[in-house]
Each structure stands twice: as structure tokens, then as C-alpha cells.
Amino acid sequence: MIELRTPGELDAMRAAGAVVADMHAAVRAAAAPGVRLTQLDSIARDVLADAGATSPFLGYAPLPTTPPFPGVLCLSVNDVALHGIPTPEELEDGDLLSVDAGAVLDGWVGDAAMTYPIGTPRPEDLRLVATTERALEAGIAAAVVGNRVGDISAAIGTVGRAGGCGINTDQGGHGVGRTMHEAPSVPNEGRPGRGVPLRPGLVIAIEPWFLAGGSDDYTVDADGWTLRSADGSRAAHVEHTVAVTEDGPRILTAPR
């Protein structure tokens, strides 16, 4: 069932989204060569505690066979596209880091991701990140009353394919509200004019993730979480929680 949120509920979700933005700001300020992924996760936990919020990621297990996720951040490095576990691994100069963060505040969820280079950036990484960010912008721009989910998907996919990126629709955007994953599904590629109509009060996470090598294929590590590009190419992942309103898209996880 798809639930539509009232203006007051959107304000409450914005408060949760602001905590997510604060998590991202703190983690990005600390991310540098020599820093361990577990240290970044600890920083994010402190932001949550200070805000009186909790994590929708910690302990999350979507299937009975899936081990509970052990962190409050997904930290995906280089060829890891999604769901990287915070390990004691140290970041190195030239790494590409994707950070996915979530927060629950007063029963409402915010969810957002960003990707950036560590230390000295590689030009090809900057191009990949720029393409993924443009796709997010295009998806958000399509999140207007009168459109359908397929218009968002098509906008994202058009940018990604034009950039030569691989796109897989097994994982993608989703509804957000009282829980982290709600209806509807928002794939990163699709046909315009298809799918669920976009109505005022609909809240969705729009989250393109692209593979630099152009292949759509990925593998999953033995930990049950870590998703990697099958060809070993680098990946980027960006995301915002967005509300559809009569006045246009409202980004609920934007920085304060």
C-alpha cells in the first residue's frame, strides 16, 4: 500500500532528513587516507546519538537468511557499489567512497547517499560521480505531480546510458516513511509514462547507482551484503529522500 503524507508529516520527515545530512557532513569531513571505515561509522553513530535518532540500517535483515547489518552506514569503496560493511579497512589515497546513511527520528525515516574521492581524485572517478549526480538531479526534476514513477526511472537511465555507465534495476529507489523500504519501487531505468502516478504527499528515495565499466552485472560477497561490479570497475551511488508536492519536488535530506 502506498501512503501519502500530510504537510505536517513531511516537516517531521524533513527533521529526520536533516539528521542524515548532518551525518554525511561529519563523515565527509573525516574521510581521508588512513582513516578506517569503522571510524567513519563511529562518527555517524555519534551524530545520531546527539540528535536523539536511531539507525534504520543497524540490525536490518530483509530476509531470514540475511545476516543483520552491523553498521549505521553502508561504506562502499571502489568496485563496491552498494551495502559495503564498515570494516577496519583503511581508506587509501585515490579511493572512491560511497556513503549511504539513514536516520529514524520520532518514527520517521530519512535516507541519502553520496560518493566522493578520497585524497587525490582520478579524473575518471570525477566523471562517474558527475554523471551519477546529474542522473539524480534529472530524477528529482521528474518527481512532479502528473508524472509517473516511470518518468523518474527513464530520466535517470537516460543520463546513465549517455555516460556509458552500467545500470542494474535489481536494486533502486523506494518509498520512504515509517520504515526505510516502502512502496513504490523506483528503478533506475524504465519507460516514461508507466508505473505509479506521482501524487502530492508521496515520499520516495531516488538513488541512481552506476557502474563505470558499462556492464550491468554485479556479484554479492559471501557476507551477504557487499555488492560489487562484476567487471571490477568502480561504482558511484547518490540518493535523496524526496517528497512530491504541489509546489514541486521537496528534498527532505538536503543539508540544513
Side-chain angles (χ1 to χ4, degrees):
M1 182 177 67
I2 296 173
E3 296 190 43
L4 303 178
R5 307 302 177 184
T6 67
E9 289 173 333
L10 294 183
D11 288 342
M13 292 193 71
R14 168 57 185 152
V19 175
V20 176
D22 290 346
M23 294 169 72
H24 275 295
V27 169
R28 185 162 193 172
V35 174
R36 297 183 185 277
L37 299 183
T38 46
Q39 291 176 278
L40 298 181
D41 194 70
S42 179
I43 288 168
R45 289 173 190 247
D46 289 343
V47 174
L48 285 169
D50 289 345
T54 59
S55 170
F57 293 8
L58 185 62
Y60 182 63
L63 299 172
T65 55
T66 307
F69 194 78
V72 303
L73 298 175
C74 294
L75 296 171
S76 304
V77 182
N78 297 335
D79 66 320
V80 179
L82 298 174
H83 308 154
I85 290 174
T87 67
E89 173 189 355
E90 291 186 1
L91 292 168
E92 297 181 2
D93 186 62
D95 279 346
L96 186 64
L97 175 66
S98 295
V99 181
D100 193 356
V104 183
L105 184 66
D106 296 329
W108 296 102
V109 176
D111 186 11
M114 58 196 311
T115 299
Y116 41 85
I118 301 300
T120 309
R122 298 183 180 187
E124 59 269 29
D125 286 346
L126 295 178
R127 288 194 293 271
L128 174 63
V129 172
T131 298
T132 313
E133 289 177 343
R134 285 198 305 274
L136 176 59
E137 292 169 0
I140 293 172
V144 295
V145 176
N147 274 357
R148 293 177 176 265
V149 164
D151 295 300
I152 297 174
S153 300
I156 292 170
T158 296
V159 174
R161 294 300 183 190
C165 297
I167 305 172
N168 192 291
T169 56
D170 289 350
Q171 308 276 345
H174 48 86
V176 182
R178 291 291 189 180
T179 62
M180 182 168 55
H181 292 130
E182 299 184 355
S185 173
V186 186
N188 286 322
E189 194 167 33
R191 297 175 63 182
R194 299 296 183 92
V196 173
L198 304 183
R199 299 167 59 192
L202 177 66
V203 180
I204 51 178
I206 300 175
E207 53 176 315
W209 60 279
F210 292 163
L211 307 173
S215 170
D216 300 345
D217 297 331
Y218 66 87
T219 62
V220 181
D221 285 4
D223 60 29
W225 282 106
T226 306
L227 188 156
R228 299 178 184 270
S229 63
D231 60 9
S233 64
R234 293 190 169 194
H237 174 211
V238 294
E239 174 187 22
H240 271 306
T241 299
V242 180
V244 178
T245 79
E246 292 285 8
D247 298 321
R250 180 183 179 187
I251 301 175
L252 301 178
T253 44
R256 295 178 190 268

